[in-house]
Amino acid sequence: YIAVRVGDTYENTQDNFLATIGGDIYNLPAGPIAFSLAYEYRAEDSSFTPSQAAQQGIVGTGSIAVATSGKYDTNEFSAELLVPIFGGDFTLPFVKSLEIDGAYRTVDNSIAGRENVWGAGLRWGIIDGLTVRASRSRNFRAPTLGQLFAPSTTALGSIGRNPCDIDRINTGPNPAVRRANCEALFAANPAWGDLATFTDDGENYNNVMITSGGNPNLRNELSDTTTFGVVWQPSFVPGLTLVADRIEVDLQDGLSVFEPVDFLATCFDSTVRTDACDTFTHGADGQIATAISTTFNAG
């Protein structure tokens, strides 16, 4: 017998440099205008090394795991500003206080690219104990090294659901779109047989080669966020604070964990061809032959 080590090795290294400066610019009747400037450099390096047994394919499902590594660095510049317009002894009727704030940041990621994000907010004290607030911002989230470069393994598995299967073709968020896409695909591949009787064995059996791992083609996740709300601290109930806020988020390229069933649904339920359609292949009978499981820019 030969003993081989099992278990994976993950090594992550981060180097970070941050410089900030801030203070007051000018004194207004309601208080000082405050600012903050910052520069940050961050470098991250990760390596994922499967065990010797996993690399030889002699454990688990028998699939061979491949060692991977990756790194990126970012340069970030940011600025923030707070301006008190009313407050203290400088007030108006129904304007006990009023301040606005703004922030801007530019981020240059060596893998995911450059993003410019910002935020603006307003806080209005109407009367003692009653404050209204609102904000608008552009935000982002870069993919992690794990999402980008996690080790890749391939093994037999089930796809869960094939949208073109006879039991699925008339379901989904828009059955007409799903059916039209399936009909177009089968019309282009007549050797697959009759769509009206099509079933995919991969729904119930582990006969599809599924590759799991990182996705080096990920983009930044972006969002536009709007919030507005009210804070009430009634004087007749000391210590009580009531807060109500509404938050609206418009997400683009959301980073989501996708299984084969998610990629298939995204492809066949879309009115235009998407990148999800490139994540699987068909066999000679039209059944799914290969698929992937990874992080995907979905939202």
Side-chain angles (χ1 to χ4, degrees), residues 56-299:
Q56 296 176 4
I58 58 177
V59 294
T61 61
S63 61
I64 295 176
V66 180
T68 60
S69 63
K71 61 183 179 180
Y72 70 83
D73 60 76
T74 65
N75 286 280
E76 307 183 22
F77 297 89
S78 65
E80 299 180 39
L81 190 67
L82 175 65
V83 182
I85 301 174
F86 292 98
D89 297 329
F90 187 67
T91 63
L92 291 175
F94 300 108
V95 186
K96 296 291 293 183
S97 65
L98 180 66
E99 64 181 33
I100 59 175
D101 62 82
Y104 176 83
R105 177 182 292 263
T106 180
V107 181
D108 188 4
N109 185 298
S110 60
I111 292 180
R114 181 186 295 273
E115 298 293 346
N116 297 314
V117 295
W118 54 270
L122 177 146
R123 189 175 181 91
W124 171 23
I126 303 174
I127 58 175
D128 288 336
L130 181 62
T131 301
V132 174
R133 57 191 182 186
S135 66
R136 174 75 172 175
S137 63
R138 174 77 162 177
N139 313 290
F140 92 106
R141 180 165 67 107
T144 67
L145 285 172
Q147 293 170 326
L148 290 163
F149 302 115
S152 176
T153 59
T154 302
L156 287 171
S158 169
I159 58 170
R161 295 184 297 277
N162 185 328
C164 296
D165 189 279
I166 188 174
D167 295 330
R168 317 289 181 189
I169 195 169
N170 292 317
T171 61
N174 193 331
V177 170
R178 175 177 291 192
R179 173 173 283 277
N181 286 331
C182 292
E183 289 176 345
L185 181 63
F186 272 70
N189 298 273
W192 291 358
D194 187 3
L195 175 62
T197 59
F198 173 73
T199 59
D200 194 324
D201 295 336
E203 288 197 344
N204 302 305
Y205 302 100
N206 295 330
N207 59 3
V208 179
M209 295 300 296
I210 300 177
T211 300
S212 303
N215 180 1
N217 298 315
L218 290 173
R219 301 180 299 275
N220 288 329
E221 175 183 283
L222 302 173
S223 68
D224 293 311
T225 303
T226 302
T227 67
F228 47 91
V230 60
V231 180
W232 184 34
Q233 297 173 298
S235 59
F236 53 85
V237 186
L240 175 65
T241 300
L242 300 176
V243 179
D245 287 297
R246 178 176 177 84
I247 303 173
E248 298 178 358
V249 180
D250 181 8
L251 187 65
Q252 174 185 341
D253 285 338
L255 295 165
S256 305
V257 177
F258 258 42
E259 302 293 339
V261 63
D262 303 307
F263 284 117
L264 286 162
T266 300
C267 176
F268 286 98
D269 292 337
S270 299
T271 56
V272 296
R273 180 178 173 81
T274 73
D275 293 342
C277 300
D278 298 324
T279 64
F280 54 87
T281 64
H282 297 84
D285 54 2
Q287 298 188 30
I288 301 300
T290 66
I292 68 172
S293 174
T294 188
T295 304
F296 188 66
N297 289 112

